[in-house]
């Protein structure tokens, strides 16, 4: 059963990465941050509405799927260290649930911006609404990102290096933080990846944990 969970986690991360691409692909080199707080992308206005709708739909489907990869990895930890496996399961469950809200909120803002500007609203109206939403969701968004990328990666490194999960040490590279750093370096030094959304690399790194879980079962 847990092998199926790991495979599902891999598939879910790929689907979610596609959703991330649709959400952030409008933020190319010609997009600039506008407004007093510089939180609004100028390209939101011309980006297809379907991009954000598709992204939200894919996230709603894929995050529960990649969550099963965390379940599979937690099971592999629990075989050697039950307490640590349960703790990983609880922490990453919180992160995954927050991930859905985080992604949908990121999809809502461009749609709200497009709707307000289409109906002759002002940029100030959008900024005020963005500010309210940020106050309501800012802390949870920060914690979600912290858990899914940083806490998750460090936890995986610990259980691999201590031998709790018996896989080659090179599997430590298949983590969100390593993928994020790789994405940053590629965007800085490669013209091909200059405008590639970094969120995609994070999500593929989440799939890497499911791959590690699957390999540890073999």
């Amino acid at each position: 059963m847990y092998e199926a969970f790991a495979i599902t986690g891999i598939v879910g991360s790929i689907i979610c990465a596609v959703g991330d691409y649709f959400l952030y692909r409008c933020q190319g080199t010609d997009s600039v941050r506008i407004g007093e707080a510089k939180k609004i992308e100028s390209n939101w206005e011309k980006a297809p509405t379907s991009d954000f709708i598709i992204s939200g739909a894919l996230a709603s489907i894929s995050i529960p799927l990649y969550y099963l990869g965390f379940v599979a990895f937690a099971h592999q930890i629990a075989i050697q260290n039950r307490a640590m496996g349960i703790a990983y399961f609880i922490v990453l469950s919180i992160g995954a649930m927050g991930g859905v809200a985080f992604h949908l909120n990121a999809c809502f803002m461009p749609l709200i911006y497009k709707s307000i500007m289409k109906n002759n609203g002002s940029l100030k109206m959008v900024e005020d609404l963005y500010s309210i939403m940020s106050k309501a969701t800012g802390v949870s968004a920060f914690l979600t990102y912290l858990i899914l990328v940083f806490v998750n990666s460090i936890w995986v490194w610990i259980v691999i290096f201590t031998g709790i999960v018996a896989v080659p040490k090179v599997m430590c590279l298949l983590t969100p933080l390593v993928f994020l750093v790789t994405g940053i370096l590629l965007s800085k030094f490669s013209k091909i990846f200059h405008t590639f959304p970094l969120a995609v690399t994070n999500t593929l790194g989440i799939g890497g944990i499911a791959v590690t879980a699957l390999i540890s079962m073999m």
Side-chain angles (χ1 to χ4, degrees):
M1 179 177 70
Y2 289 99
E3 288 89 345
F5 281 4
I7 293 170
T8 302
I10 296 168
V11 173
S13 70
I14 294 171
I15 295 172
C16 194
V18 174
D20 286 335
Y21 177 75
F22 274 101
L23 175 59
Y24 294 109
R25 69 173 177 171
C26 67
Q27 297 178 16
T29 54
D30 62 332
S31 184
V32 295
R33 294 289 181 94
I34 58 176
E36 292 183 8
K38 303 299 181 183
K39 297 288 187 180
I40 299 168
E41 294 284 342
S42 61
N43 275 0
W44 281 355
E45 190 162 6
K46 66 180 182 181
T49 298
S50 59
D51 275 11
F52 307 112
I53 295 174
I54 290 171
S55 180
L58 290 177
S60 299
I61 295 168
S62 61
I63 292 176
L65 296 180
Y66 80 50
Y67 166 71
L68 292 178
F70 297 152
V71 175
F73 195 76
H75 174 263
Q76 295 308 105
I77 297 173
I79 292 174
Q80 296 296 327
N81 190 321
R82 181 174 174 80
M84 198 171 190
I86 292 173
Y88 180 86
F89 171 76
I90 293 172
V91 172
L92 270 297
S93 294
I94 295 170
M97 286 187 286
V100 178
F102 177 84
H103 193 107
L104 291 180
N105 185 61
C107 292
F108 290 154
M109 275 313 304
L111 292 172
I112 292 170
Y113 169 77
K114 291 169 70 69
S115 178
I116 289 176
M117 300 307 289
K118 182 179 179 180
N119 290 283
N120 301 316
S122 67
L123 189 60
K124 183 65 166 58
M125 292 173 61
V126 180
E127 285 198 289
D128 288 345
L129 181 58
Y130 192 99
S131 177
I132 293 170
M133 292 181 69
S134 295
K135 289 177 182 177
T137 63
V139 174
S140 63
F142 172 77
L143 288 176
T144 294
Y145 193 79
L146 184 68
I147 290 171
L148 291 179
V149 178
F150 291 89
V151 174
N152 199 5
S153 298
I154 293 170
W155 209 312
V156 172
W157 296 340
I158 290 171
V159 298
I160 290 177
F161 274 109
T162 57
I164 293 174
V165 175
V167 293
K169 301 296 189 289
V170 71
M171 300 304 294
C172 287
L173 297 176
L174 297 183
T175 50
L177 190 52
V178 172
F179 273 59
L180 173 61
V181 172
T182 302
I184 292 172
L185 292 175
L186 287 174
S187 68
K188 294 293 184 182
F189 301 108
S190 172
K191 292 182 178 180
I192 297 175
F193 293 96
H194 183 60
T195 60
F196 194 75
L198 290 177
V200 173
T201 61
N202 298 341
T203 308
L204 291 176
I206 287 174
I209 294 174
V211 171
T212 302
L214 185 61
I215 290 175
S216 70
M217 298 173 192
M218 296 178 177

